[in-house]
Amino acid sequence: MKPPVGRAELVVIAAALGEEALGPAAELLGLEALAPDRSQPEERREPETVGTISKGLAEAPAPSEIARRRVPFWRLVSVEHREPLEAVPAPSEDAALTGEELRGCLGRRGEPMPREPLVAWSRLWPVLGDALASSRLSSEIDAPTLVDRWCRGELTEEIPRQEWRAWPGRLVVIVDRSERLLPFWWDQDEVVRHLAGWICERSVVELSLPDGLLGDVGDDLLDELEGWEAGLAGARVLALSDLGFHESSKHRQRWLRLARRLRRLGCSLTALVPAPPARFDAECARSWNAIPWEEPRRSGAVVAGEVLTIEQRCERAERLLRLVSPLSRVEPGLLRVVRRLLPDEEADCGTEVDACRHPKVRGAHAEAITLDPQQARTWQEELAELPIELREKVLELARAWHASLPREIWLSELWSLHAHVSEGVIEPGEWSEALALARRFEPSLVPEGSQGDERQAIEGFVNRAQSRLPEGSWREDELGRSLQRAWWLLHRGEERERPPGFSRDLVADLGDGARVPSRAWRLGQVGEQLMLARPDDASVDRGWTWLADLAPCSPTAAVITGSSGEDRQVLLEAGPMWPVSPTASVVLETSAASVTLEPWTREDWAVDAGRDRNGLWADVEVAGVRQRLRWVPPGRFLMGSPEEEQGRDGEGSDWNEGPQHEVTLTHGYWLADTPCTQELWEAVMGENPSRFVSPTRPVEQVSWQDVGVFLEKLAGRVPGLHPGLPTEAQWEHACRAGTTTSTYAGEMEILGERNAPLLGDIAWYGGNSGVDYDLEEGESTEGPWWTEMEHEFEKTGTRRVALKSPNPWGLFDTLGNTWEWCADGQRDYEAEAVTDPVGAGQRGSRRVLRGGSWVGGARSCRAATRYAYAPEYRYGNIGFRWSRGQVPGAEPSEHAGEARGDGARRRSRREERR
């Protein structure tokens, strides 16, 4: 006696409700302790049952919690296969970055790039001289003045002396170090340095005004100034400040109050202001004798009196930041030279302040500023709107400014810059060097690789690239693939959000840092949990319920739960089990495919449903006649036959089976497990056209058009069923059931026209269909063309369905018994891979038949055999197998239009989409 194959489900029930529930649960769920007796050859061979759900559960005696519970079954709904990408070249043994190189990336500096001042000192000092210098009398006689007086007859009591302009003996310089003036800190230092050289270093008193000192406690500055031993009476004061012109009126009022108090002390005031005249406050500018630090460079610039709105200033700042958006770091000096690529009417010195204070600037420091990565990517997409010459000039300036930094920093900047300039601007050798840097990260991070500061340096490069590069760059080229692998090695095992565009297929061979091969995996269900294991894993017992076989992939995958959005990584090698909610779909992301699963409970069109070793099934009932449907999972297979397959129809034939090509079916579908029987046809149509009359034999002598009428009436009898015919690709996918040989039982050897012993267990064909034939009506085997038969018999015809062994997915008679109509018309195969193919469907075109029949030879009972006839053709060896619904996006069967009209066809299509 065999143990019940559904013991896994019973274990789940016992754990939830106790052992006392096992008896009622087994009875209510229809669990069978024994497999059916297979000793009777004329009985349908039912697969062993591991669980069912029935409409009659609610009426079962002794209702309990288990009786009210609907058991969910997981099913594979759709698969999106990933195309293999170009392999990342394996790094050479000496490709790892050395410790010296990595440590240098953290601190090495070269000669800095000469900065460009707001105004050259040669032009600035005459202006400052006029503003700061005082008049003094020399010992030289002013001869012209003396002669002029004598000529006019004036008496000269005092001989006039010559006057000359002199720098003040003492100059107090107030340096405003507000953060908003960060772009001008270097300019302020340069002015102080030059003044000390021109006047006297001891005569220049520099007072640094930290950010906020004047704004919060303005009088404290005066207290600090009054503390100087010489006092401030009569002192010359130079303010290197914007006087609050880039700030609110509140700041400007504070500077105005400071000016009034200094003047009461007898100070002479001058302010060198890094702002265009358009931003000057008139009263504050007069009080400080304000001088624009930078003059307009060309006509057409904004002049005093013209006021820029906040929106205009923001627009100017964004125009400037857009130009530097591909750079991960922007030095204030680089920002200035890029700004000067724009005309004054598009950017002035105040634009540098607005750019540094823009809300999308994440960090502003004296050394460099950084942009918000997401906004930077948006600005990068807009760069194409700017002239290519302007973008290329920015690249040249950036190259010059990064010359003083470690070479690796500039190479990493090229990663995002190269996408925004024309080909040839970046030198080929330079770009090759940038790619080589990205490739060298991986060997530097393998076990026993870079640690500490060295690893920190690599992580900085990769994380900056993650935030700067467009999403497509992480998948489409060698750079992105190398950076992804480095990112994976840095963060493997961490709960961290992956970069946009990250793809697991690029890290398929990186387990714990070592390269590991891809492997095939089998997906199954244990209770309400999902599990993955290798196909050859002997530890998977009979409680395991098969769902699908997955393409070879890496041992690491992610489980994404549909409703919660949970995304977690799992290691497939460990045989993980995922306790997921039975109410939400699950997406399994592997390096080879994205697989969507969803829990399924019996729908209203099904009177019973369950799962056995062959997969998920559901029963449909019409007038007491049942038809079982099988869930056929989506997948990828080779359609057609290889050239060496015995019995193949090749080129030149109307039924050409080549070239063999890859077909992907992205969605699963329900398919009847047998050809349509005569009893089901009669229950729907009220008559029986068959030649070989028997309720459990396939209906035959039905045309493709007749089938359309049947399906229309069946849809009316069972709401929500939406019956149709499978496409030719769906039919072959279901027939093969994951196998690749000429039959699902293996490669067939044809010994004679009707002699292939392999077919004996799986198909009724012209070599065995008359063995123990049991009907009065039959086809005589007398005749010259009944030759080379495996068995001798006098008459033959169709046989009862489901007497032979099913294929791995529980489908009977896919080979032999009757040919089966398909939905689509005949099409020629091509070598290219296709997805969800549908053949020609014009009215009147020939329709495809598949599977062979009781009268045919052995060669016709192969998975790849194909015939086609006119849709009105009828014969005693032609039947059909129906499916539920159609492939999304496929054209509906034409017979539906002939039977129901175009309006009904459109309604059916809308219902199927819902």
Side-chain angles (χ1 to χ4, degrees):
M1 179 180 295
K2 295 183 179 179
V5 297
R7 61 183 180 276
E9 282 76 8
L10 292 178
V11 170
V12 174
I13 293 170
L17 303 177
E19 294 186 4
E20 63 277 4
L22 289 179
E27 180 180 355
L28 290 173
L29 295 178
L31 298 178
E32 299 177 6
L34 294 176
D37 186 359
R38 300 176 187 246
S39 63
Q40 303 297 326
E42 291 297 317
E43 294 298 325
R44 172 179 174 142
R45 294 187 181 179
E46 291 283 355
E48 296 172 345
T49 302
V50 298
T52 63
I53 32 183
S54 164
K55 284 186 176 179
L57 288 181
E59 290 77 27
S64 63
E65 182 179 352
I66 187 63
R68 296 191 299 271
R69 181 180 179 185
R70 275 195 172 187
V71 180
F73 295 100
W74 288 95
R75 64 176 181 173
L76 185 61
V77 177
S78 64
V79 175
E80 180 184 347
H81 292 273
R82 293 192 174 91
E83 298 302 324
L85 298 179
E86 180 184 349
V88 178
S92 59
E93 294 182 359
D94 59 349
L97 288 164
T98 66
E100 182 179 353
E101 287 176 308
L102 291 172
R103 287 188 294 271
C105 292
L106 295 174
R108 189 174 71 242
R109 295 292 185 272
E111 287 296 325
M113 174 73 176
R115 296 188 61 164
E116 192 172 294
L118 281 172
V119 177
W121 180 251
S122 60
R123 295 178 53 196
L124 182 61
W125 79 263
V127 176
L128 287 178
D130 289 342
L132 299 178
S134 58
S135 298
R136 294 183 181 181
L137 296 177
S138 68
S139 59
E140 299 291 331
I141 297 175
D142 186 357
T145 302
L146 182 60
V147 171
D148 181 67
R149 290 179 181 178
W150 286 347
C151 291
R152 290 198 303 269
E154 296 179 2
L155 295 175
T156 303
E157 297 180 356
E158 184 178 355
I159 299 176
R161 306 287 182 179
Q162 292 184 0
E163 289 187 359
W164 56 281
R165 303 282 291 174
W167 289 102
R170 182 178 177 82
L171 176 64
V172 177
V173 182
I174 301 176
V175 181
D176 187 351
R177 286 299 198 185
S178 301
E179 286 190 4
R180 66 178 180 275
L181 299 182
L182 183 148
F184 313 118
W185 286 5
W186 178 85
D187 298 275
Q188 293 172 341
D189 293 340
E190 286 295 293
V191 168
V192 173
R193 183 177 66 84
H194 281 289
L195 287 174
W198 277 81
I199 304 176
C200 178
E201 185 172 355
R202 290 175 297 177
S203 300
V204 177
V205 180
E206 178 184 358
L207 295 179
S208 181
L209 181 61
D211 186 42
L213 177 59
L214 180 64
D216 296 334
V217 284
D219 290 341
D220 287 354
L221 175 64
L222 294 177
D223 296 338
E224 183 178 347
L225 292 175
E226 291 172 350
W228 289 91
E229 61 182 77
L232 288 173
R236 292 280 181 176
V237 177
L238 172 64
L240 303 180
S241 171
D242 66 345
L243 304 180
F245 295 164
H246 293 302
E247 277 287 1
S248 64
S249 59
K250 181 178 180 181
H251 287 76
R252 294 192 291 273
Q253 288 299 319
R254 286 169 176 164
W255 279 98
L256 186 59
R257 289 197 300 271
L258 178 60
R260 291 170 179 167
R261 184 165 180 178
L262 289 174
R263 287 188 180 278
R264 286 197 297 269
L265 295 174
C267 297
S268 298
L269 307 181
T270 301
L272 193 58
V273 181
R279 302 195 189 189
F280 280 20
D281 175 85
E283 183 179 5
C284 190
R286 285 194 302 270
S287 298
W288 278 95
N289 187 26
I291 302 172
W293 201 326
E294 182 184 57
E295 298 178 353
R297 291 166 288 139
R298 51 182 71 89
S299 60
V302 177
V303 296
E306 298 183 36
V307 180
L308 292 174
T309 64
I310 298 297
E311 291 75 14
Q312 288 173 320
R313 290 171 57 180
C314 184
E315 181 181 351
R316 287 181 165 210
E318 291 185 359
R319 184 182 297 116
L320 176 58
L321 293 173
R322 188 179 295 112
L323 282 172
V324 297
S325 59
L327 298 169
S328 61
R329 50 177 290 135
V330 182
E331 295 82 357
L334 175 59
L335 187 69
R336 176 166 303 164
V337 294
V338 172
R339 189 258 297 180
R340 285 180 169 169
L341 294 176
L342 301 172
D344 283 349
E345 56 269 21
E346 294 184 7
D348 52 47
C349 61
T351 307
E352 295 181 34
V353 176
D354 296 333
C356 290
R357 303 180 71 194
H358 194 280
K360 295 302 180 180
V361 170
R362 191 166 62 177
H365 307 282
E367 186 173 334
I369 67 172
T370 56
L371 306 182
D372 175 76
Q374 183 175 356
Q375 182 60 53
R377 283 194 293 268
T378 301
W379 282 333
Q380 289 171 22
E381 295 172 359
E382 300 170 355
L383 278 176
E385 303 172 4
L386 301 177
I388 184 62
E389 297 81 4
L390 181 60
R391 286 179 274 155
E392 291 174 356
K393 288 179 180 178
V394 172
L395 182 137
E396 294 300 328
L397 290 171
R399 176 185 284 110
W401 269 91
H402 284 78
S404 63
L405 301 176
R407 177 67 173 171
E408 293 79 10
I409 292 180
W410 169 241
L411 295 177
S412 67
E413 295 284 20
L414 289 178
W415 295 341
S416 55
L417 276 169
H418 84 284
H420 306 292
V421 295
S422 60
E423 187 176 353
V425 176
I426 298 177
E427 300 175 0
E430 190 176 39
W431 180 240
S432 298
E433 194 178 353
L435 292 178
L437 173 65
R439 287 197 303 269
R440 296 176 68 188
F441 291 154
E442 180 183 339
S444 302
L445 292 169
V446 295
E448 300 180 1
S450 302
Q451 301 294 329
D453 291 345
E454 300 169 8
R455 187 181 183 90
Q456 177 187 349
I458 296 179
E459 185 172 4
F461 282 120
V462 175
N463 289 345
R464 283 194 298 271
Q466 171 191 344
S467 65
R468 312 291 304 181
L469 287 177
E471 178 176 335
S473 297
W474 280 85
R475 183 174 176 83
E476 296 175 353
D477 54 26
E478 179 184 354
L479 169 65
R481 294 194 291 272
S482 297
L483 290 173
Q484 283 201 53
R485 292 169 71 84
W487 185 91
W488 179 260
L489 290 170
L490 282 165
H491 305 297
R492 184 177 58 251
E494 299 178 9
E495 294 185 3
R496 182 183 290 260
E497 182 180 358
R498 295 185 301 276
F502 181 86
S503 174
R504 285 183 181 80
D505 50 359
L506 296 179
V507 296
D509 58 346
L510 297 177
D512 292 328
R515 295 175 180 266
V516 295
S518 295
R519 292 175 176 169
W521 301 92
R522 178 158 290 174
L523 180 64
Q525 177 180 352
V526 178
E528 293 184 0
Q529 294 181 312
L530 299 176
M531 186 173 179
L532 274 167
R534 294 197 298 275
D536 57 352
D537 191 347
S539 65
V540 178
D541 62 16
R542 299 182 69 190
W544 164 284
T545 303
W546 172 87
L547 293 179
D549 288 325
L550 303 181
C553 58
S554 71
T556 304
V559 178
I560 303 172
T561 304
S563 61
S564 65
E566 175 190 4
D567 184 350
R568 55 195 175 97
Q569 297 178 5
V570 295
L571 190 63
L572 306 185
E573 291 281 2
M577 297 180 66
W578 315 309
V580 291
S581 169
T583 61
S585 62
V586 168
V587 178
L588 175 63
E589 294 276 0
T590 74
S591 61
S594 176
V595 179
T596 302
L597 303 104
E598 64 180 22
W600 183 83
T601 54
R602 179 187 49 78
E603 299 177 57
D604 290 339
W605 54 265
V607 293
D608 282 302
R611 185 187 296 283
D612 55 34
R613 64 180 60 194
N614 298 111
L616 186 62
W617 58 264
D619 284 349
V620 175
E621 185 174 305
V622 179
V625 179
R626 288 199 178 192
Q627 173 66 63
R628 176 157 294 182
L629 302 182
R630 287 283 178 180
W631 178 254
V632 179
R636 177 178 288 178
F637 71 102
L638 287 178
M639 190 170 184
S641 60
E643 295 182 1
E644 66 275 9
E645 184 171 297
Q646 193 175 6
R648 178 182 193 263
D649 276 317
E651 295 183 9
S653 168
D654 288 342
W655 327 112
N656 189 1
E657 300 170 15
Q660 196 173 32
H661 58 290
E662 187 180 84
V663 171
T664 299
L665 298 180
T666 57
H667 292 76
Y669 50 97
W670 292 98
L671 186 65
D673 72 338
T674 67
C676 179
T677 61
Q678 296 174 33
E679 61 180 350
L680 181 60
W681 181 278
E682 277 196 84
V684 174
M685 303 292 288
E687 51 86 22
N688 186 358
S690 302
R691 173 185 175 185
F692 308 103
V693 179
S694 174
T696 55
R697 277 173 162 78
V699 67
E700 15 85 13
Q701 296 197 134
V702 290
S703 69
W704 188 84
Q705 294 170 339
D706 296 335
V707 173
V709 178
F710 167 85
L711 295 174
E712 171 68 14
K713 291 188 175 182
L714 177 61
R717 297 288 294 272
V718 185
L721 184 60
H722 309 304
L725 285 175
T727 65
E728 184 181 14
Q730 287 178 323
W731 188 96
E732 185 169 332
H733 174 57
C735 177
R736 291 186 178 277
T739 64
T740 59
T741 50
S742 59
T743 76
Y744 56 80
E747 205 66 61
M748 179 172 58
E749 182 182 5
I750 301 177
L751 304 180
E753 183 179 357
R754 290 174 173 80
N755 187 0
L758 180 70
L759 295 177
D761 289 335
I762 64 172
W764 296 111
Y765 76 113
N768 68 359
S769 58
V771 176
D772 297 327
Y773 188 71
D774 60 343
L775 287 183
E776 288 292 331
E777 170 62 31
E779 176 80 9
S780 173
T781 58
E782 295 182 2
W785 63 290
W786 283 91
T787 60
E788 302 181 31
M789 298 165 59
E790 180 184 1
H791 302 279
E792 294 297 328
F793 43 84
E794 296 181 356
K795 65 178 181 179
T796 185
T798 60
R799 303 301 295 264
R800 293 175 62 184
V801 299
L803 294 182
K804 297 293 186 180
S805 298
N807 75 1
W809 290 349
L811 301 173
F812 298 90
D813 297 320
T814 55
L815 300 178
N817 217 350
T818 59
W819 287 97
E820 299 179 5
W821 288 111
C822 293
D824 41 357
Q826 185 180 13
R827 68 181 178 93
D828 292 331
Y829 290 165
E830 297 182 357
E832 291 77 14
V834 291
T835 299
D836 297 326
V838 179
Q842 290 78 18
R843 187 182 300 274
S845 63
R846 296 197 301 180
R847 301 293 165 162
V848 175
L849 289 161
R850 300 298 296 262
S853 76
W854 59 270
V855 71
R859 64 188 304 274
S860 65
C861 292
R862 295 174 298 111
T865 303
R866 57 198 306 247
Y867 286 155
Y869 288 108
E872 64 273 10
Y873 186 83
R874 299 180 180 89
Y875 197 70
N877 66 343
I878 296 179
F880 70 99
R881 181 190 308 262
W882 56 277
S883 64
R884 178 175 184 259
Q886 297 289 329
V887 172
E891 289 297 322
S893 301
E894 188 175 306
H895 59 61
E898 295 172 356
R900 296 177 285 174
D902 292 340
R905 182 192 307 177
R906 287 192 292 270
R907 285 195 301 274
S908 175
R909 195 184 307 176
R910 285 196 299 270
E911 290 169 351
E912 289 168 2
R913 280 199 293 266
R914 287 198 294 270

